Amino acid sequence: MTDIDPSPQDPLIPAAYAIAHTDPDFWYSLTPVEQLVAAYDMSLWLRPEQLVPRTPFTSLGWLCGRGYGKSLAIAYDINQRVEHDGLRSIALAAPSDDRITDVQVAMLVATAPPWCPAAPYGKKGVRWANGAEAIGFTPQEPERPRSGNFGLS
């Protein structure tokens, strides 16, 4: 095991982790609004390799195991795109309805900031306060229409 210097200059250490370990009183110096915003800004909490790149891409994947933070990172990115980039139509896909509901819908709703809230919608979807929607697709309903003009899937 190696010692990690949690300094803000180390790009491998998330900013919030570094601040909390170098100056634990910093959090308490923030206003309640700043604390709320920081709590929902996952760019402060996720490791750099967990963040979805903001450069254009056609597909993205992580080769890693359980507990890496994939669901959190993807949910954060989708919520950011819904809030800031005008993303309005998202397709969710999983092997079963339960996986969409228990993992994807639950994570999107839990990580949506209170100023752009999301709620479960329909059988296996999410709707944000700004009108954006995510719709789930599974092989359990093979006859369900599969096409749409989705901004992200």
Side-chain angles (χ1 to χ4, degrees):
M1 179 179 239
T2 61
D3 290 331
I4 297 174
D5 175 22
S7 66
Q9 294 79 25
D10 186 342
L12 299 177
I13 306 297
Y17 176 90
I19 290 169
H21 286 81
T22 58
D23 185 7
D25 294 328
F26 176 77
W27 181 261
Y28 299 106
S29 72
L30 298 175
T31 68
V33 171
E34 290 170 331
Q35 288 180 355
L36 178 67
V37 171
Y40 284 91
D41 184 356
M42 291 295 109
S43 69
L44 297 172
W45 306 97
L46 295 172
R47 296 181 307 275
E49 65 272 12
Q50 287 176 290
L51 294 171
V52 174
R54 297 308 284 176
T55 56
F57 59 87
T58 302
S59 63
L60 174 71
W62 281 286
L63 183 59
C64 51
R66 294 177 59 96
Y68 182 81
K70 301 176 293 291
S71 297
L72 178 62
I74 293 167
Y76 167 67
D77 183 69
I78 290 172
N79 278 307
Q80 286 288 297
R81 291 173 190 266
V82 165
E83 181 184 358
H84 298 291
D85 299 345
L87 181 63
R88 293 290 175 260
S89 184
I90 301 113
L92 306 174
S96 70
D97 292 346
D98 290 343
R99 290 294 292 169
I100 286 179
T101 303
D102 297 345
V103 178
Q104 297 175 1
V105 169
M107 188 64 76
L108 286 168
V109 170
T111 59
W115 53 89
C116 187
Y121 170 68
K123 187 176 176 183
K124 54 183 180 261
V126 177
R127 180 179 280 165
W128 284 262
N130 65 4
E133 292 182 356
I135 301 167
F137 295 93
T138 70
Q140 288 180 309
E141 296 183 65
E143 300 305 316
R144 185 170 179 210
R146 295 242 179 233
S147 62
N149 291 321
F150 296 107
L152 181 71
S153 63

